[in-house]
Amino acid sequence: MTGANSRPPRGFRALLGEAKWQALLARGAERVHPPGSWLLRQGDPGTFVFALVSGRVKVLGAEPGGGQLLITLRGPGDLLGEIAARSAGPRTATVRAIDRCTTKVLSAAAFEAFLDEHRAQGRLADYVVSKLSQAVPYQVQLVHFAPERRIARLLLEIVALADDGSPHVPFSQREVADALGLARSTVALHLQRLKEVGALHPGPRLLVADLEVLKQHAGM
């Protein structure tokens, strides 16, 4: 798989341009978040913004019954919490680290000053529009696909966001099932099929063996 250094920029970093992205990072204080830790919690005040430098995160929305639905995944080059920070409103989603993540945190005021100084308001507006188009639970986004295709697409996106090029998918069968609104037995069946056709490595860990085969089963 391709290493992180040769991957093109993505997210807000791609829209902003490398020089301005580095200028943004220079204004922030570095934080390191262990796997499984919470970066943002839904309902908390939006007083700061994270720029995601490395690692992957889950964006989760609260269900009325107290559960959480996977809305989307984010990776290096993305912003976290910018909508609430700009509106001075509460956080609209919860963000949890999948890997060990590194971020730069800026206060809402510092972020606004950066946007003004670098005339980046339009770039941010484009970025926010693209994010809002994905602001529905993952299982709703893929509801019209068959289970195997939904599973393959989720695995592809998780691997594509890995900044170190790792083929490892750090999700359990239960997490895949919850993300897609599928029964765990259904997920186990289709993961086994993906292993049999060579898309995934055999064994208990979720490890992509052949991206092209996985893409075929994802319908891509």
Side-chain angles (χ1 to χ4, degrees), residues 1 9 19 28 97 100 105 125 136:
M1 299 183 111
R100 180 181 183 272
V105 59
V136 294

Side-chain angles (χ1 to χ4, degrees), residues 125-154:
D126 291 342
Y127 178 67
V128 169
V129 167
S130 71
K131 289 180 76 172
L132 290 176
S133 68
Q134 302 169 352
V136 294
Y138 213 92
Q139 56 188 257
V140 174
Q141 294 177 40
L142 301 180
V143 70
H144 298 298
F145 294 124
E148 187 170 293
R149 183 168 290 190
R150 293 164 68 183
I151 292 166
R153 286 189 174 223
L154 176 61

Side-chain angles (χ1 to χ4, degrees), residues 139-174:
Q139 56 188 257
V140 174
Q141 294 177 40
L142 301 180
V143 70
H144 298 298
F145 294 124
E148 187 170 293
R149 183 168 290 190
R150 293 164 68 183
I151 292 166
R153 286 189 174 223
L154 176 61
L155 301 185
L156 279 173
E157 184 168 356
I158 294 169
V159 169
L161 288 174
D163 48 332
D164 62 355
S166 172
H168 176 229
V169 178
F171 274 43
S172 65
Q173 286 188 10
R174 169 55 61 195

Side-chain angles (χ1 to χ4, degrees), residues 86-100:
R86 300 202 76 207
S87 66
R91 303 288 187 197
T92 56
T94 292
V95 178
R96 189 172 191 179
I98 296 173
D99 315 294
R100 180 181 183 272

Side-chain angles (χ1 to χ4, degrees), residues 6-52:
S6 59
R7 294 192 175 194
R10 55 170 306 284
F12 189 57
R13 179 180 181 178
L15 290 171
L16 194 60
E18 192 60 27
K20 291 182 180 179
W21 174 254
Q22 294 301 327
L24 175 66
L25 298 185
R27 297 197 180 198
E30 184 172 300
R31 291 189 186 177
V32 176
H33 312 266
S37 61
W38 303 98
L39 281 73
L40 304 173
R41 291 183 183 270
Q42 188 170 340
D44 284 354
T47 56
F48 57 87
V49 177
F50 282 127
L52 186 53

